Amino acid sequence: MTIQKKPLGTLGVEITGVDVGRDLSGGNGDNLFGEIRQAWQEAGGLMVIRDQSIDQQQHIDFSRRFGPLFHDEGQPPLQDTVSRYLHPDYPQIYRVSNKVDDKGQPTGRKGAGTYWHSDVSFRDRPAMASVLYAIQIPPYGGDTIFADMAAAYDALSDGMKAMLAGLNAVHDFAVAAATQYAKPVVIDKDFDGANQCLHPIVRTHADTGRKSLYVNPGFTSHIEGFTVEESRPILDHLYRHATQPEFLYRHAWQPHDLLVWDNRTLMHYAVSDYSADRYMERTTVIGERPV
Ligand code: SIN
């Protein structure tokens, strides 16, 4: 079988003609996955596979083809805050939802990711890919915006590139914890040392060799060796630069979209502009230590 590919903005690809729950388990599964992964990387790190009808186990199996998942046996969990939003039978699945159940309890994390961020960048081995499955979407609103941090890096001046080379930044979950969306739900354990780390401001992609900016307003606290005040104007400049319209793609969800993004080269922002029900399930693939 051959998959159909169409560009998704300047940083991604739309894939149709494949059923990841069925087609990847056959004898040709490895070749087909290789083709899908290559299309994803060549496009710039974002991929939507349309019209998927998968259960939680199929979602996990597909995601594991990219690498180990947070909450897999022997692998670290996500930050403690999200533990109450994990699927009760599949801890690898983080539920992102504004819905309440018939007892009035949340069915997932409301307002997750309503700030620019790269998933789990506050860990030594941050998220490589996130795989988000749209089970219920509102009639309008609830888009997710992506910023191409490789294109943003390429467009910096030589002077700025030279200044950033060799600099590291501190990533700390406490930065996100202070936002209006996270503040009401964070718990003390989120502030422990496992949720802080140091990464190069410019990282080199392990598969493509491309350089990307690797700082984000959600989790980056300051530049190593600089005070928070000294870091602020430099980081704010990089965020303004990276979120110019030329580097963005806005995903308007369709039901049963399976979206895969590469956190090593994209930041994202979940737009909280809806009140109707939105229910999604996400797995998070553990990546390598950024270099
Ligand atoms: C997230 O940051 O993983 C949530 C994205 C979304 O809900 O659109």
Side-chain angles (χ1 to χ4, degrees), residues 96 112-113 117 119 132 142-144 253 261 268 270 278 280 282:
V96 177
H117 66 289
D119 286 331
L132 188 60
D143 296 351
T144 310
W253 291 88
W261 64 84
H268 61 285
R278 182 181 190 268
M280 305 207 174
R282 190 187 95 188

Side-chain angles (χ1 to χ4, degrees), residues 94-276:
Y94 169 37
R95 295 174 300 172
V96 177
S97 170
N98 62 343
K99 286 175 70 167
V100 289
D101 64 19
D102 44 16
K103 296 192 190 71
Q105 295 304 308
T107 62
R109 171 81 173 87
K110 184 179 173 188
T114 302
Y115 44 84
W116 282 109
H117 66 289
S118 170
D119 286 331
V120 206
S121 75
F122 46 83
R123 291 281 177 78
D124 284 344
R125 288 184 61 203
M128 179 260 240
S130 301
V131 185
L132 188 60
Y133 182 43
I135 294 170
Q136 190 174 0
I137 58 164
Y140 57 87
D143 296 351
T144 310
I145 312 179
F146 293 86
D148 185 340
M149 302 299 272
Y153 173 77
D154 289 345
L156 291 172
S157 66
D158 289 345
M160 182 58 91
K161 285 180 182 159
M163 191 188 92
L164 297 179
L167 287 181
N168 294 306
V170 176
H171 294 242
D172 188 342
F173 182 76
V175 177
T179 63
Q180 57 162 318
Y181 294 99
K183 222 184 229 167
V185 295
V186 289
I187 56 177
D188 285 350
K189 275 184 87 180
D190 290 326
F191 296 100
D192 75 18
N195 289 327
Q196 293 161 7
C197 65
L198 204 60
H199 292 308
I201 291 183
V202 180
R203 72 180 287 183
T204 303
H205 198 285
D207 298 329
T208 66
R210 267 189 97 182
K211 287 184 175 175
S212 290
L213 284 171
Y214 193 63
V215 283
N216 64 85
F219 302 129
T220 306
S221 142
H222 61 280
I223 301 172
E224 183 189 33
F226 291 59
T227 65
V228 171
E229 289 71 24
E230 289 166 342
S231 306
R232 199 68 281 141
I234 303 170
L235 292 174
D236 282 346
H237 169 75
L238 295 177
Y239 301 150
R240 264 197 316 278
H241 169 75
T243 55
Q244 292 175 86
E246 288 73 14
F247 304 129
L248 302 185
Y249 163 76
R250 183 170 180 135
H251 190 67
W253 291 88
Q254 294 178 16
H256 300 115
D257 276 356
L258 184 64
L259 196 72
V260 185
W261 64 84
D262 188 336
N263 289 287
R264 298 171 295 183
T265 191
L266 302 174
M267 287 199 293
H268 61 285
Y269 184 113
V271 183
S272 184
D273 60 350
Y274 57 93
S275 53

Side-chain angles (χ1 to χ4, degrees), residues 8-118:
L8 199 65
T10 54
L11 52 79
V13 62
E14 177 191 63
I15 301 229
T16 49
V18 66
D19 175 339
V20 302
R22 187 194 57 206
D23 301 333
L24 294 183
S25 54
N28 193 36
D30 288 351
N31 286 343
L32 185 57
F33 179 72
E35 199 186 329
I36 291 172
R37 197 181 197 289
Q38 191 180 344
W40 175 58
Q41 286 302 312
E42 283 174 0
L46 186 70
M47 163 169 75
V48 64
I49 311 179
R50 301 279 192 199
D51 304 319
Q52 297 305 294
S53 176
I54 50 172
D55 61 22
Q56 281 82 15
Q57 191 57 54
Q58 289 168 321
H59 184 174
I60 289 170
D61 290 345
F62 173 67
S63 307
R64 278 198 188 127
R65 283 187 167 269
F66 293 88
L69 309 181
F70 285 96
H71 294 276
D72 265 351
E73 209 178 316
Q75 300 295 343
L78 291 165
Q79 68 273 23
D80 279 277
T81 284
V82 305
S83 57
R84 77 194 88 156
Y85 306 116
L86 301 178
H87 193 289
D89 301 322
Y90 300 92
Q92 295 87 351
I93 292 193
Y94 169 37
R95 295 174 300 172
V96 177
S97 170
N98 62 343
K99 286 175 70 167
V100 289
D101 64 19
D102 44 16
K103 296 192 190 71
Q105 295 304 308
T107 62
R109 171 81 173 87
K110 184 179 173 188
T114 302
Y115 44 84
W116 282 109
H117 66 289
S118 170

